[in-house]
Amino acid sequence: METLMTDPGTGTTEPQDSVPIAERDVAAVPAASRRTSLLVTLILGGLTAVPPLSMDMYLPALPEVTNALHSPAATVQLTLTTCLAGMALGQMVVGPMSDKWGRRRPLLAGMVIYVIATALCALATNAELLIAFRLLQGLAGAAGIVIARAVVRDLYDGVAMARFFSTLMLISGVAPVVAPLIGGQILRITDWRGVFVVLTVVGILLTLLVWRRLHETLPPERRHSGGLGEALHTMRSLLADRSFSGYLIVGAFAFAALFAYISASPFVIQEIYGASPQTFSLLFGVNSVGLVLVGQINGKVLVGRVSLDVVLGIGLSVITAAATALLLMAGGVFGDVGLWPMAAGLFVLMSAMGLVMPSANTKALLRSGHAAGSASALLGTSTFLLGSVASPLVGIAGEHTAVPMAVVQLSCGVLALLSFLGLCRPWQRRGETATGTGERTRL
């Protein structure tokens, strides 16, 4: 069987081999016909796990940092905000760089700076220095996020790319769950600086693996030769593509709904519904398992049998329905429902993310084979920026009501669904089979 892949930029069709091969000579192999080894898959998963590790391992140490550096809690909270902002802005810089110079050099440079910045965080003597080093850590850590996505786009097309993104979710989805647990255990044997020491060691090991085992995936003939002007022109061209912008917005609003859950759930579960920290940790872990499990079902069962647009539409509909149910319960429409119905609603909403996020990323990147780095930068920056906006909104009415969380999640779900219908317009695609957008199968 041979697949004809339509290039979104040129409208031409090229035959693509549907069975990938090893990644050793990736520069000479068509994108849809490559396969990564298990180690390279783990490396890419590790690169996408760096942000949640950098953010969440540090969370249990916040009270200790406040006392140790003699700073107000609001000032110490800026160490989280600046790291998140750095990760958002850094992707806009590193993505176009990787389109110009290839994937390896910007990635290695970013990882080296990440290691240095993380080590400096461990040595910070006051909150102001820690804030500055955390900003640098976020800027450098962005290289792993944006280039990992670009590498996947270099190696895969269509169905294979959707499946690989689902595999990455298995790795990166575990990171937010285990990171606070790891951070808490580190604090049992050392102080907050030990968290950054561990992150430094993780960064060194990942840098060595990238240097030794991650080959260049963008051949010289496919690189962009221009400077900042061409990079901005490329991004404008991507955003001018209605479908690309649609899938970008869909993914960003879905991530914002996820971030609203992460930000509000400790207060909702513990303060409002009276659960213990252990119960909260259990529910948080179960919800993360649901996201990862549905992502794996998507990648192993649905992809290749059901259109990515159909999967994406189902996922968005489930998110919107779950958020509606959460708002009705939080608003007291059904009376005092208690913890478990709310927990069930959050589980359904989180699990549906396993359908939406891989599909949205895949559909967007399929539109950007000529500029995967820039496209990945736009995807990453939009999700982080919207996530950072959604995070404070969930607490706008205080810590004793779950209504703001549900309102933010429902708003994000509705806006994502409207963007999908209004910008992506999946019903207009002709000749699409279950193998994915832009592909026609020929025997």
Side-chain angles (χ1 to χ4, degrees):
M1 179 178 290
E2 186 181 53
T3 300
L4 292 180
M5 173 64 69
T6 302
D7 187 331
T10 64
T12 60
T13 57
E14 298 177 358
Q16 301 282 346
D17 198 356
S18 61
V19 181
I21 62 174
E23 82 278 11
R24 286 179 301 174
D25 299 313
V26 290
V29 182
S33 58
R34 303 175 188 140
R35 180 179 62 207
T36 58
S37 67
L38 176 60
L39 179 59
V40 172
T41 300
L42 292 175
I43 292 173
L44 295 175
L47 292 172
T48 60
V50 164
L53 287 176
S54 299
M55 295 291 292
D56 295 349
M57 276 181 65
Y58 175 63
L59 292 178
L62 283 178
E64 185 178 333
V65 174
T66 301
N67 295 328
L69 299 182
H70 308 290
S71 297
T75 302
V76 175
Q77 285 283 351
L78 287 176
T79 62
L80 297 175
T81 305
T82 53
C83 185
L84 183 63
M87 288 177 183
L89 298 176
Q91 294 183 65
M92 295 297 290
V93 177
V94 178
M97 286 173 57
S98 73
D99 283 337
K100 181 178 181 179
W101 293 319
R103 312 303 184 202
R104 271 178 58 86
R105 284 189 290 173
L107 178 56
L108 285 170
M111 292 305 299
V112 169
I113 297 173
Y114 172 84
V115 168
I116 294 172
T118 306
L120 290 173
C121 288
L123 301 174
T125 55
N126 57 61
E128 289 72 21
L129 282 175
L130 183 58
I131 289 170
F133 295 149
R134 286 283 280 176
L135 176 62
L136 182 61
Q137 184 191 39
L139 289 167
I145 316 170
V146 67
I147 293 181
R149 269 196 303 262
V151 167
V152 174
R153 181 63 185 95
D154 293 339
L155 295 175
Y156 288 103
D157 274 320
V159 171
M161 181 162 56
R163 286 176 175 157
F164 196 87
F165 274 127
S166 294
T167 300
L168 285 187
M169 284 194 66
L170 177 61
I171 302 171
S172 59
V174 172
V177 181
V178 301
L181 301 177
I182 295 173
Q185 295 305 309
I186 292 172
L187 293 176
R188 292 172 64 92
I189 58 176
T190 183
D191 61 6
W192 65 272
R193 299 180 189 274
V195 174
F196 290 108
V197 172
V198 172
L199 286 171
T200 301
V201 173
V202 170
I204 291 172
L205 293 175
L206 196 53
T207 303
L208 291 174
L209 286 172
V210 169
W211 177 51
R212 294 294 303 273
R213 300 306 299 268
L214 188 63
H215 302 280
E216 180 59 64
T217 59
L218 187 66
E221 62 270 17
R222 290 179 53 203
R223 297 176 189 174
H224 294 188
S225 57
L228 177 61
E230 182 176 342
L232 293 175
H233 175 73
T234 299
M235 290 185 177
R236 284 197 300 269
S237 299
L238 288 168
L239 292 174
D241 180 347
R242 189 192 69 241
S243 292
F244 174 85
S245 294
Y247 291 116
L248 178 146
I249 293 170
V250 168
F253 276 117
F255 188 83
L258 173 64
F259 225 79
Y261 158 77
I262 293 173
S263 301
S265 58
F267 301 103
V268 171
I269 300 299
Q270 297 180 82
E271 299 295 330
I272 299 176
Y273 290 98
S276 66
Q278 292 74 23
T279 300
F280 165 71
S281 298
L282 176 62
L283 292 175
F284 193 91
V286 168
N287 289 339
S288 299
V289 169
L291 186 154
V292 172
L293 182 60
V294 171
Q296 293 309 294
I297 294 173
N298 178 38
K300 305 298 184 185
V301 179
L302 299 180
V303 172
R305 295 178 176 87
V306 182
S307 164
L308 293 176
D309 277 324
V310 172
V311 172
L312 186 53
I314 292 172
L316 291 173
S317 299
V318 172
I319 288 174
T320 304
T324 301
L326 287 169
L327 180 58
L328 294 175
M329 288 188 287
V333 174
F334 303 122
D336 186 6
V337 297
L339 171 62
W340 297 111
M342 287 292 293
L346 289 171
F347 175 80
V348 171
L349 186 144
M350 283 289 292
S351 298
M353 295 290 176
L355 299 177
V356 172
M357 299 182 76
S359 301
N361 281 337
T362 300
K363 297 290 287 185
L365 288 172
L366 278 172
R367 311 284 303 181
S368 58
H370 61 293
S374 296
S376 180
L378 290 171
L379 289 170
T381 301
S382 63
T383 56
F384 274 82
L385 288 179
L386 265 182
S388 64
V389 171
S391 181
L393 291 178
V394 299
I396 199 169
E399 301 175 359
H400 303 293
T401 173
V403 170
M405 177 194 73
V407 168
V408 171
Q409 290 173 331
L410 179 58
S411 300
C412 290
V414 169
L415 289 171
L417 192 56
L418 290 176
S419 299
F420 177 63
L421 296 175
L423 294 175
C424 304
R425 301 179 186 177
W427 63 85
Q428 292 184 349
R429 311 212 192 299
R430 297 289 185 261
E432 180 183 352
T433 69
T435 59
T437 299
E439 294 184 2
R440 290 183 288 124
T441 303
R442 185 178 69 192
L443 296 178

